[in-house]
Amino acid sequence: MDMTSLLIFAAALFVAAGSPGPSVAALVARVISTGFRGVFPFLLALWIGEAIWLSLAVFGLAMVAQTFHLAFLVLKWAGVGYLLYLAWRMWTAPVEARGESLPQAGSPLKMFLAGLAVTLGNPKVMMFYLALLPTIVDLRSVTLLGWLELTLTMAVVLVVIDVSWALAAAQARRLLKSRRAMQIANRISATTMAGAAAAIAGRT
């Protein structure tokens, strides 16, 4: 692919992915709750989910996504339900009396599945790749090498954006050491996670 098309794609993705939305809200909530190191499975799932949507668009499978709309709808609401469950767990999480640490990360597999549900069930991500991307890139002329170039470009942009959000959230987390601060962190994380669920549920 020519450099101009890749730069336009990168710029559009930077704006779309960098703006606060369900994925960013869920990421920030998880970092505040579990810390930066424990959120990697969640980040990996976010990136894989976006790669899946990119691949669907590039290989002309938008029709497949539309044909199996019910399956994606079920996935969306499953993601919403799981995010609400996580929000409830965060809200009701016990606070250690010593207040020396925030809650630790859960199962890496659960973190990964949660991230995948957020991305695959997020209509904002879906519409970017299946509706907006074809207006930016001529998908009919994209070869296997072109798909690899788009995927690498997407990966670079998402890593920069998501890691920046995660580091910012981790920096805020270091300030939370007292028992009261831990409780506030749990409540903020729960509210943010519930907001992410509401954002996904409210998009059509």
Side-chain angles (χ1 to χ4, degrees):
M1 292 189 60
D2 63 276
M3 185 59 65
T4 301
S5 296
L6 288 176
L7 289 176
I8 293 175
F9 168 67
L13 179 60
F14 188 87
V15 173
S19 59
S23 296
V24 170
L27 172 61
V28 170
R30 297 307 295 170
V31 173
I32 290 178
S33 177
T34 66
F36 180 78
R37 292 184 180 180
V39 84
F40 179 73
F42 189 83
L43 277 174
L44 183 62
L46 291 181
W47 301 333
I48 290 176
E50 297 231 13
I52 290 174
W53 283 122
L54 173 63
S55 299
L56 285 173
V58 168
F59 293 116
L61 296 180
M63 183 180 299
V64 173
Q66 294 172 359
T67 302
F68 295 98
H69 174 70
L70 179 60
F72 286 103
L73 190 62
V74 170
L75 181 61
K76 167 186 171 179
W77 287 106
V80 168
Y82 188 64
L83 288 177
L84 290 175
Y85 167 74
L86 290 177
W88 175 76
R89 288 290 302 272
M90 290 177 187
W91 188 273
T92 59
V95 180
E96 295 295 333
R98 292 180 301 172
E100 295 177 352
S101 63
L102 291 172
Q104 298 301 307
S107 163
L109 178 59
K110 290 182 179 179
M111 293 279 284
F112 181 85
L113 293 176
L116 206 58
V118 168
T119 305
L120 294 181
N122 186 354
K124 174 186 174 183
V125 176
M126 177 179 66
M127 292 306 296
F128 176 81
Y129 290 108
L130 298 185
L132 182 59
L133 181 63
T135 68
I136 301 174
V137 178
D138 183 5
L139 298 179
R140 294 172 299 179
S141 62
V142 176
T143 62
L144 182 60
L145 179 59
W147 169 74
L148 288 173
E149 292 172 341
L150 284 171
T151 302
L152 288 175
T153 301
M154 177 209 72
V156 170
V157 172
L158 292 180
V159 167
V160 170
I161 291 174
D162 290 339
V163 170
S164 296
W165 276 109
L167 288 174
Q171 190 67 28
R173 184 178 187 268
R174 292 191 184 97
L175 302 176
L176 304 172
K177 296 297 182 182
S178 70
R179 187 177 188 278
R180 176 61 178 166
M182 289 173 60
Q183 186 178 51
I184 292 174
N186 286 344
R187 298 294 171 83
I188 291 176
S189 297
T191 303
T192 306
M193 191 68 75
I200 293 176
R203 292 176 183 271
T204 57

